[in-house]
Amino acid sequence: MNISISVKQLGKKHPLLQEKNIALAIENPVITTQKLIESIVDHQVQLFRSASFEFEDEDKIHLPNEHYLPILTDTGKAGFGALYNHNQVDLAKAQENAIQAFEDGLYAVFYGDDQLETLTEQIDLSQNKNLTFIRLTFLAGSYW
């Protein structure tokens, strides 16, 4: 089943990930929020595992174009496509972390205009609404 996903962060003008279509291996279009999150994590882990790991003898610098550098610095992470961690991802642990982060309120999930608030909430993916993940950031400071 194909779904459209975007990832946003509060306080940012541009989304971190703008409408990406992914194909999930789901038979029934009516699923719970937990199953949806687990399926998306499974899809992302499979993409990561399929990425080629090339060990280089020397570190080569891949400089981005001039117009691309401000975009990298605005997101707070300048990455040049190199994968330095060659460890395999544990799918069960990744799914557990994603579910725990949802329960802890580190991100919110919207299906169309409706917020998905519980893991047992039923979603009908056949409606083809956009799925939006919003990364929530918390204020930090002192009391003095």
Side-chain angles (χ1 to χ4, degrees):
M1 170 156 296
N2 290 330
I3 60 171
S4 175
I5 293 180
S6 63
V7 179
K8 299 180 181 180
Q9 183 173 357
L10 294 178
K12 299 289 182 182
K13 290 182 182 179
H14 305 288
L16 300 175
L17 176 67
Q18 188 160 352
E19 290 200 33
K20 181 178 179 182
N21 289 322
I22 64 171
L24 298 179
I26 299 173
E27 298 107 22
N28 189 2
V30 178
I31 61 170
T32 63
T33 305
Q34 180 171 352
K35 180 66 176 162
L36 176 68
I37 293 170
E38 289 173 350
S39 299
I40 292 172
V41 170
D42 181 33
H43 179 268
Q44 294 302 310
V45 166
Q46 297 305 325
L47 281 178
F48 181 78
R49 286 180 179 169
S50 67
S52 65
F53 291 112
E54 296 180 7
F55 294 99
E56 297 178 358
D57 293 336
E58 61 185 56
D59 191 18
K60 298 176 183 173
I61 299 175
H62 306 287
L63 295 176
N65 297 335
E66 290 180 13
H67 66 281
Y68 189 61
L69 190 58
I71 295 172
L72 291 175
T73 56
D74 284 345
T75 61
K77 179 180 179 184
F80 304 107
L83 297 173
Y84 298 107
N85 185 359
H86 300 287
N87 297 333
Q88 289 295 322
V89 178
D90 182 15
L91 177 62
K93 185 70 173 165
Q95 289 173 334
E96 180 184 327
N97 287 341
I99 296 298
Q100 186 64 48
F102 179 80
E103 289 176 336
D104 291 345
L106 297 180
Y107 64 92
V109 181
F110 288 86
Y111 187 58
D113 293 331
D114 304 324
Q115 181 177 0
L116 306 175
E117 297 178 358
T118 63
L119 291 172
T120 58
E121 192 170 343
Q122 295 285 325
I123 310 160
D124 186 7
L125 294 178
S126 64
Q127 295 177 355
N128 292 330
K129 295 180 184 177
N130 286 342
L131 189 66
T132 305
F133 289 84
I134 299 179
R135 214 171 103 185
L136 303 174
T137 56
F138 299 98
L139 300 175
S142 63
Y143 292 107
W144 33 302

